């Protein structure tokens, strides 16, 4: 607005104010108080006279108008009237980095993201930083894939940060799924959220890999053509799971004709098993022994029992190895606890399996993932049919190096998940120590698939890592020299404490969040007391308070008893009973 237009607007406001004042005076029948100075100036008095002449020319018609209080749009003129001036918006310019090279890179960056779970404070500005894969994918549109890959040295808080994401996402209606908790790190958090914790291991619980689970129940509930499609998908999932178990026991994949035989056996059992009863692996052995026509047809035995036995005996031996071999009875009976599709969170705890029992660990991980992803598919099928509300899921795979080395089938399953999680309505978080964990896999194909996990991740979160590891990671996600030095400094151990107090490593609770080619966001996470009670990865190094109390009580009793018996003196101490007797003992 030009200066002339501003003057016109001010003059109109003053004239309107004068009219309102005269109308108030005419309405009350009392003139303005005498002695009140007119601060409007000579020009304003002329305007008032012209206004008076206009009102007199109107006569009675002007006097009949309603008297209303008039407030100027820019406030009353004068001090304290709330008057404001118009301000033109600043001019915006857009230029390339070549044209604006003197101002690039910008000295001041953009604000911290505020969409998602509150994670912590910006390490330099102190601003609150929020984020998680699902909210950054659905709401903020920062990333194109709802996945997170986290790397860092042990003991720096990686699981603690993911635990915070679980708590925050659960509060927004997302269902956390920990399909194979190896330590466990998340069981207590899931219990606190009111979720379901399922234990798997020898003597703890098992999974029936032939149980259709939530997918079978959803297929029966949906019915019709959509229900039949879901039943066919359930059959394929069960077949792949049994084939994966056989691969673990054998150490090599199944033959193609064996998969055909196994599929025929499963179809035969599904058609002849009464409703309400689930099929078990011993039932598969029984059908192979009986040899019904449907099964014999795919073996090409041509009525010869010897040819039939030659075709099914290797499969028969492998199934016996599952039931009576290294896997024990974990997969031989009914599922101890089924996943509840309506649970607010689910954790499958396999921490009871020993570290050296790699075959059972791999089988339990595969079974947990098959059952969990089947529950996700059933939930989406019910939502598509309009029978249930839409739910989103967030899976966590901690200590990624361990399941990757357990069996090659895990690599394929995780690889498929990272490519299809957008269509599955499923976010995921994968946690490991370094990129070198992928180099320890058995085959070149598995190593290439594992390296692709970082490349396809929407978010990459780095805790403290050595400098050489950060330089390798920089070739994948694009790290600046300053970011490499910052994260490398977090991998340093704590100083030599001289005060006897516990000193934490300098990198504990510090993370760098990278999204594409954007500058990293360094954050510091400060956990609450509730989170500290729920998540303690050093429980085996933490003394049991009750045990310590009992030991202290017993020690106090021994000291008191020794004092009464006179055996409290140091050997050779003057005046002590040990000195008088010439021999003695010192009791602590």
């Amino acid at each position: 607005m030009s200066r002339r237009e501003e003057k016109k607007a001010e003059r109109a406001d003053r004239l309107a104010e004068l009219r309102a004042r005269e109308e108030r005076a005419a309405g009350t029948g009392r003139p303005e108080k005498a002695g009140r100075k007119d601060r409007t100036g000579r020009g304003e008095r002329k305007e008032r006279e012209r206004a008076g002449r206009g009102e007199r020319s109107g006569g009675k018609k002007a006097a009949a108008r309603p008297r209303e209080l008039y407030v100027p749009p820019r406030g009353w003129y004068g001090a304290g009237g709330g008057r404001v001036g118009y301000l033109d918006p600043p001019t915006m310019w857009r230029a390339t980095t070549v044209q604006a090279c003197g101002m690039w890179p910008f000295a001041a960056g953009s604000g911290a993201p505020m969409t998602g779970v509150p994670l912590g404070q910006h390490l330099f500005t102190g601003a609150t930083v929020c984020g998680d894969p699902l909210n950054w994918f659905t709401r903020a549109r920062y990333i194109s894939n709802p996945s997170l890959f986290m790397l860092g040295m042990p003991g720096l808080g990686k699981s603690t940060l993911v635990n915070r994401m679980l708590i925050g996402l659960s509060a927004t209606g997302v269902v956390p799924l920990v399909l194979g908790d190896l330590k466990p790190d998340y069981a207590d958090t899931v219990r606190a959220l009111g979720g379901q914790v399922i234990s798997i291991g020898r003597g703890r619980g098992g999974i029936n890999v032939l149980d259709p689970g939530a997918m079978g129940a959803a297929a029966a509930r949906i019915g019709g053509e959509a229900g039949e499609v879901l039943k066919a998908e359930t059959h394929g999932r069960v077949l792949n799971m049994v084939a994966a178990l056989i691969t673990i026991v054998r150490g090599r994949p199944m033959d193609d004709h064996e998969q055909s035989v196994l599929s025929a056996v499963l179809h035969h059992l599904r058609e002849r098993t009464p409703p309400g009863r689930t099929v078990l692996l011993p039932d598969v052995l029984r059908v192979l022994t009986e040899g019904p026509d449907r099964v014999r047809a795919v073996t090409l035995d041509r009525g010869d029992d010897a040819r039939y036995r030659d075709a099914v005996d290797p499969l028969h031996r492998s199934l016996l190895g599952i039931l009576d071999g290294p896997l024990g009875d974990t997969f031989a009976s009914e599922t101890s606890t089924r996943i509840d599709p309506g649970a607010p969170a689910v954790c499958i705890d396999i921490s009871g399996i020993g570290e050296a029992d790699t075959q059972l660990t791999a089988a339990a991980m595969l079974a947990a993932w098959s059952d969990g992803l089947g529950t996700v598919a059933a939930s989406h099928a019910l939502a598509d049919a309009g029978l249930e509300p839409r739910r989103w899921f967030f899976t966590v795979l901690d200590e990624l190096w361990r399941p990757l080395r357990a069996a090659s089938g895990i690599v394929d399953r995780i690889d498929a998940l990272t490519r299809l999680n957008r269509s599955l309505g499923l976010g995921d978080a994968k946690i490991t120590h370094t990129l070198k964990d992928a180099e320890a896999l058995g085959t070149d194909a598995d190593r290439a698939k594992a390296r692709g996990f970082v490349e396809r991740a929407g978010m990459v979160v780095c805790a403290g890592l050595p400098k050489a590891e950060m330089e390798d990671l920089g070739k994948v996600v694009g790290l600046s020299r300053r970011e490499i030095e910052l994260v490398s400094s977090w991998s340093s151990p704590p100083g030599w404490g001289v005060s006897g107090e516990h000193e934490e490593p300098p990198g504990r609770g510090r993370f760098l969040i990278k999204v594409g080619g954007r500058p990293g966001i360094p954050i510091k996470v400060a956990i609450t007391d509730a989170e500290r009670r729920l998540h303690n990865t050093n429980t085996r190094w933490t003394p049991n308070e009750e045990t310590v109390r009992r030991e202290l009580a017993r020690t106090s009793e021994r000291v008191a008893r020794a004092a009464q018996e006179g055996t409290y003196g140091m050997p050779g101490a003057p005046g002590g009973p040990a000195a008088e007797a010439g021999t003695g003992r010192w009791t602590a």
Side-chain angles (χ1 to χ4, degrees), residues 75-274:
W76 298 102
Y77 184 80
R83 190 174 183 80
V84 296
Y86 291 105
L87 180 65
D88 291 336
T91 304
M92 297 182 64
W93 300 90
R94 179 175 296 177
T96 64
T97 55
V98 176
Q99 295 169 326
C101 56
M103 295 181 290
W104 177 270
F106 299 133
S110 60
M114 294 294 293
T115 303
V117 177
L119 300 180
Q121 289 182 312
H122 197 285
L123 196 60
F124 301 138
T125 65
T128 301
V129 177
C130 303
D132 61 82
L134 268 72
N135 282 292
W136 280 17
F137 173 72
T138 58
R139 295 172 55 195
R141 303 291 183 181
Y142 293 152
I143 57 179
S144 59
N145 189 17
S147 62
L148 178 147
F149 197 95
M150 184 179 296
L151 302 100
M153 301 299 289
L156 297 182
K158 301 184 299 297
S159 303
T160 302
L161 181 62
V162 175
N163 246 304
R164 173 165 293 186
M165 290 186 184
L166 291 186
I167 296 172
L169 289 173
S170 177
T172 62
V174 177
V175 181
L177 298 176
V178 185
L179 303 177
D181 196 355
L182 292 160
K183 286 188 177 179
D185 284 339
Y186 307 94
D188 291 338
T189 301
V190 170
R191 289 191 186 97
L193 295 174
Q196 182 185 28
V197 178
I198 303 172
S199 297
I200 297 177
R202 292 189 178 94
R204 296 173 176 264
I207 293 180
N208 178 18
V209 294
L210 303 182
D211 188 357
M215 291 186 69
R221 185 177 175 186
I222 294 173
E225 183 179 355
E228 293 299 324
V229 171
L230 195 57
K231 285 182 181 178
E233 185 179 349
T234 305
H235 172 81
R237 188 179 295 273
V238 171
L239 177 62
N240 291 334
M241 186 61 227
V242 179
L245 293 182
I246 293 175
T247 301
I248 292 173
V249 173
R250 288 183 178 180
R252 62 177 180 83
M254 292 178 62
D255 297 331
D256 54 352
H257 72 275
E258 290 179 323
Q259 294 189 18
S260 300
V261 172
L262 182 59
S263 178
V265 171
L266 294 177
H267 278 300
H268 176 82
L269 287 172
R270 189 183 65 179
E271 293 172 357
R272 285 164 176 76
T273 302

